[in-house]
């Protein structure tokens, strides 16, 4: 019988956050795939886990995934861990999971710490709806495209950022999103854990004077529906009825549907739109 892939969440700082089930599984599997074996050996030694490790990281994720999949097809059980937190979230684990499904191998996840969720629930921002963007891309064009999509995002936004890029990212967020409420979380579960709830402009002022230290999770308030509605209403006021209907036709609506949508946006009847077009 084929083996199984176990996605094992490890602590993001405090070693006491590991679960008994994860420790038991790491001891029982045949091999552990680790993002950085030099880092993970400290964890394994702390819990007296003797299972052999192999490196599985961003730069070998395709070929090493094939190797691990073959081992599982031959009957081995494999556990995957990341440097901190849950594997598969903003790390190369998703490629191994994908190849396992293609090969018909069973995948299971052992829940535990995740920095994005930990920061979200302690942020004081709305938690009912949120989107996770991980790290913004380094490529300027790609980053600009993502920030453009986030301008009208009504869900709470969660981002990761390194300390040496924090000030630049805060400025980019201010330029793209405007001045919103933000909570900056760092050193989560560690001795010097900190959560600063402020505005993007306030955070920018703070960290221009104070050197950022540690890895950050940024939890940013989404745009309110009321603000979005006001902005859209202002946008419609600058358009003629014909331009407004044309806007929806370009999105694939037929003329009748476009007129109905334009009338709703402008708070008038469909006949009013029809008369203006005439």
């Amino acid at each position: 019988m084929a083996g199984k892939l176990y996605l094992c969440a490890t602590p993001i700082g405090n070693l006491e956050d590991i679960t008994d089930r994860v420790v038991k599984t790491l001891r029982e599997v045949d091999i552990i795939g680790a993002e950085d074996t030099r880092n993970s050996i400290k964890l394994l030694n702390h819990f007296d886990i003797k299972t052999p490790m192999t490196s599985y990281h961003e730069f070998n994720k395709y070929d090493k995934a094939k190797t691990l999949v073959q081992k599982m097809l031959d009957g081995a059980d494999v556990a995957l861990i990341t440097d901190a937190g849950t594997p598969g979230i903003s790390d190369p684990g998703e490629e191994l999971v994908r190849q396992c499904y293609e090969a018909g191998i069973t995948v299971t996840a052992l829940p535990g710490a995740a920095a994005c969720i930990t920061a979200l629930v302690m942020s004081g921002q709305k938690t009912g709806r949120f989107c996770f963007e991980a790290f913004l891309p380094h490529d300027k064009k790609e980053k600009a495209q993502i920030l453009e999509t986030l301008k009208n995002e009504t869900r709470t936004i969660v981002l990761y950022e390194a300390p040496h890029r924090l000030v630049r990212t805060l400025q980019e967020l201010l330029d793209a999103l405007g001045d919103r409420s933000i909570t900056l979380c760092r050193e989560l579960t560690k001795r010097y854990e900190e959560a600063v709830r402020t505005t993007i402009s306030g955070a920018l002022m703070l960290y221009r004077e104070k050197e950022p230290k540690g890895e950050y999770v940024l939890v940013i308030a989404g745009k309110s529906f009321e603000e979005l509605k006001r902005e859209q209403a202002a946008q419609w006021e600058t358009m003629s009825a014909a331009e407004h209907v044309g806007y929806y036709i370009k999105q694939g609506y037929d003329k009748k549907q476009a007129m109905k949508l334009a009338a709703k946006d402008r708070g008038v009847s469909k006949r009013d739109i029809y008369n203006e077009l005439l």
Side-chain angles (χ1 to χ4, degrees):
M1 291 179 63
K4 193 172 182 179
L5 176 65
Y6 296 84
L7 303 171
C8 295
T10 54
I12 58 177
N14 192 320
L15 291 179
E16 293 180 5
D17 290 336
I18 200 167
T19 68
D20 291 339
R21 184 181 172 206
V22 167
V23 172
K24 181 174 182 290
T25 298
L26 292 178
R27 286 175 177 156
E28 292 178 349
V29 294
D30 298 292
I31 189 169
I32 298 170
E35 189 173 8
D36 186 338
T37 55
R38 296 167 300 179
N39 179 68
S40 295
I41 192 63
K42 301 172 188 176
L43 177 74
L44 300 194
N45 287 342
H46 181 84
F47 290 101
D48 195 30
I49 297 169
K50 308 296 186 183
T51 308
M53 276 193 298
T54 186
S55 63
Y56 178 80
H57 49 71
E58 182 65 28
F59 303 105
N60 72 353
K61 63 182 180 181
Y62 298 106
D63 291 337
K64 181 54 74 72
K66 292 177 183 177
T67 301
L68 292 174
V69 165
Q70 187 56 57
K71 288 183 180 295
M72 285 181 271
L73 289 173
D74 292 339
D77 286 326
V78 174
L80 183 67
I81 59 176
T82 185
D83 283 347
T86 302
I89 297 179
S90 188
D91 84 346
E94 62 182 353
E95 174 60 26
L96 178 57
V97 172
R98 185 187 66 79
Q99 289 196 28
C100 281
Y101 275 102
E102 289 181 351
I105 292 168
T106 300
V107 178
T108 190
L110 282 63
C116 56
I117 299 298
T118 304
L120 176 66
V121 298
M122 67 183 284
S123 68
Q125 307 293 346
K126 292 183 178 179
T127 60
R129 300 169 62 248
F130 68 94
C131 64
F132 175 61
E133 287 290 337
F135 290 94
L136 291 173
H138 294 298
D139 181 79
K140 289 183 178 180
K141 185 176 180 181
E142 189 179 352
K143 184 193 294 184
Q145 290 173 337
I146 289 177
L147 288 173
E148 181 65 27
T149 65
L150 294 176
K151 275 186 178 181
N152 293 323
E153 178 59 70
T154 57
R155 295 171 295 178
T156 299
I157 303 163
V158 184
L159 300 173
Y160 288 160
E161 194 49 277
H164 63 281
R165 290 194 300 267
L166 181 64
V167 171
R168 181 178 64 189
T169 296
L170 287 170
Q171 184 63 63
E172 290 168 340
L173 290 169
L174 183 62
D175 294 340
L177 309 181
D179 202 10
R180 301 190 189 181
S181 175
I182 184 174
T183 305
L184 301 95
C185 302
R186 71 179 189 92
E187 298 294 280
L188 290 169
T189 76
K190 300 177 185 177
R191 181 179 180 183
Y192 296 107
E193 176 182 274
E194 181 181 47
V196 177
R197 191 171 189 268
T198 178
T199 59
I200 297 177
S201 63
L204 196 53
M205 290 177 60
L206 173 64
Y207 289 106
R208 277 177 173 160
E209 297 178 359
K210 174 185 175 182
E211 182 185 0
K213 294 181 179 179
E215 298 297 315
Y216 284 80
V217 184
L218 312 181
V219 186
I220 308 160
K223 181 175 285 188
S224 70
F225 287 108
E226 292 76 15
E227 184 181 0
L228 188 60
K229 191 174 181 179
R230 286 196 301 270
E231 290 179 358
Q232 289 176 337
Q235 176 189 358
W236 308 138
E237 289 174 3
T238 64
M239 288 184 177
S240 68
E243 290 171 333
H244 201 154
V245 172
Y247 168 81
Y248 282 117
I249 290 174
K250 286 179 181 177
Q251 293 187 43
Y253 294 96
D254 62 35
K255 189 173 182 180
K256 185 176 180 181
Q257 291 173 317
M259 289 172 63
K260 184 177 180 181
L261 289 169
K264 184 178 179 182
D265 290 338
R266 298 167 88 89
V268 299
S269 69
K270 185 178 171 183
R271 177 160 291 280
D272 290 334
I273 296 293
Y274 179 76
N275 289 335
E276 282 196 56
L277 292 181
L278 287 180

